[in-house]
Amino acid sequence: MGVDREPRTSLPLFDEGRAYEHPLYGKLLSAPGLSVGVAPLDKLLTWGLTNSLWVFPMATSCCGIELMAAAASRVDLDRMGTFLRGTPRQGDVMVVAGTITVKMAPRVKRLWEQMPEPKWAIAMGSCAISGDFYRDLYPVVPGIDTFLPVDVYIPGCPPNPEGMMAGLLELARKVRSEQGRAVHPPVRRADALVVTRPSIARLGDPERDPSLSEQQMEAASRPAESPAARPFEDVALPPVPETAPGSVVEAPPTFDPELAELYRAHGVTDFPKDAPPLVPLARHVSLARALVERGYAQLVYVVASHWLAGKGRAGNVAGETEHHEVAYGLRTVGPRPKGAPSKLAWWSVRAEADGAVPSLAGALAGADWQEREQFDLVGVRFAGHPDLRRLMMPDNWAGHPLRKDYPADAHTAPWR
Ligand code: SF4
């Protein structure tokens, strides 16, 4: 969905026409003779309400630090009767300070629903307002008002604590005016709208496609499916390439000679200076086991990359097929001579797009989680993995977002 850069000059507020009424208000009105006291009591209740707006903080990134600073001694929100409560049940205002991802959004919404009425929402900082410079990334919600009714926007990257205080004062003014049945006139600067308008129409936008809300509701109410673990045991591994008699794949001079010998014994086919040596798929598990025996027992990383046809580790190569490359890194652990650094062993394996990489989960427990992550994000299949399911993305997410052919601006219900 493309970004419409045309500015809009009028938008309704999400809660335009809604007026909050304190539960005591109706009772007082119905009591005979007490109506003369309603006006001052209404003012008193509103005064109490606007001077005790307790914040439920939803701080996810840098803006959260400014929110914390606003609560600290120099600015001291407490002097306005506002302080941060770490529970939705006693919060009046949810302050979303930072970037919200599609994975967080359902949890944020659930916490919002756990806050009792009356309640208000503040979007603090440009990430919460619009997704900011992350807005077009696949995991980022392009503004929290795609799923929350925001009352006050505090602009900035980040807004400072004084900005936070000004936002709360603005909210108090809004609450007071709602008590008096006033409706805010929409105040939106056309030039600012050019910058902040999201590519997907938000709640309350007149031009929002109603089917988008239906999709959101449908996707949000659907229970997440956890697909059964899918081991790929039946993968035929390609044969280990023959090394011509007398030919040796040379290691860079800086490479540990003992490791170089071990890699050669496992059929290494490429020994570049600034990339991991390439090892045949069929020797990969036995290489890992041999390294563990030599003390390289900590699995530091598993990183997969997806290569489209015509591209590979040697650059643009005609005839190169679409494939994955997965790099592993192991580090030595345990006692070592004083001053001697821990040593790292790294290598890569290459699998065709429809193939699989033998899992290291049987040799190194940490591979379970890390290979699962690479399956989720890049789509690499790991043969023999005990539990190959999504780990980072929602279970009903379509596709693998770190693949080179993944459309970055795909519309994925419910949040984008
Ligand atoms: S708006 Fe700026 S400061 Fe706030 S969370 Fe985003 S990047 Fe960080």
Side-chain angles (χ1 to χ4, degrees), residues 91-108:
D92 300 299
V93 191
M94 176 182 272
V95 176
V96 180
T99 326
I100 298 294
T101 64
V102 291
K103 191 168 184 180
M104 290 174 201
R107 280 80 182 174
V108 175

Side-chain angles (χ1 to χ4, degrees), residues 358-371:
S359 171
L360 286 195
L364 289 145
D368 178 345
W369 185 92
Q370 297 201 44
E371 288 178 345

